[in-house]
Amino acid sequence: MTATDGERRPAGELEASVLAALWAAGRPQSAAQVRSAMPQPLARTTVATLLARLHEKGVVGRSPGTRGFVYFPVEDSHGLTARRMHRELDQDGDRSTVLARFVEGLSPEDETELRRLLGESGQ
């Protein structure tokens, strides 16, 4: 059974698809425009609901359009990933241990890059 046969899609799949459509457009889009750019066959109201939820989460901004709102991403995909990482870090009371475990799991290449970035920010 596929998601189009009534099975629920994985959490975040549709939001990711909405964001991909907004990033690809490169300019503010209405719910109808986002819907037409998405690979999934969804109702405009479903896309409007997804956009409203993303706006509530602070992931997309919106401004008045001709009819309703037009939406735009507030960050690129890398910024969004960084925001998620910060949110996860903020949910644990022992930041030092979380950061230590994170660094322990880095590949040598990622560790080198992190050291380089930290060196640049300290100058």
Side-chain angles (χ1 to χ4, degrees):
M1 179 185 272
T2 66
T4 57
D5 293 332
E7 181 180 301
R8 291 189 59 88
R9 292 173 179 89
E13 177 185 318
L14 291 178
E15 288 183 356
S17 189
V18 165
L19 284 168
L22 287 173
W23 286 321
R27 60 184 177 83
Q29 300 285 291
S30 68
Q33 289 170 315
V34 171
R35 177 182 163 243
S36 68
M38 292 177 64
Q40 299 94 335
L42 300 172
R44 187 200 56 78
T45 54
T46 301
V47 175
T49 298
L50 289 164
L51 287 163
R53 287 180 182 162
L54 288 168
H55 180 260
E56 290 172 8
K57 293 177 181 180
V59 176
V60 300
R62 70 181 182 194
S63 58
T66 307
R67 296 177 63 200
F69 292 107
V70 290
Y71 296 85
F72 51 92
V74 297
E75 298 182 271
D76 63 12
S77 63
H78 305 300
L80 186 59
T81 300
R83 180 189 285 216
R84 285 189 201 120
M85 292 169 71
H86 281 284
R87 189 172 53 240
E88 290 298 321
L89 183 60
D90 290 343
Q91 291 181 10
D92 194 295
D94 189 354
R95 295 174 73 91
S96 180
T97 301
V98 173
L99 285 169
R101 298 273 162 69
F102 177 76
V103 171
E104 288 170 5
L106 291 175
S107 69
E109 297 82 15
D110 287 343
E111 185 176 343
T112 300
E113 180 64 9
L114 182 59
R115 288 181 189 280
R116 183 188 70 76
L117 292 168
L118 290 171
E120 286 178 4
S121 68
Q123 296 178 3

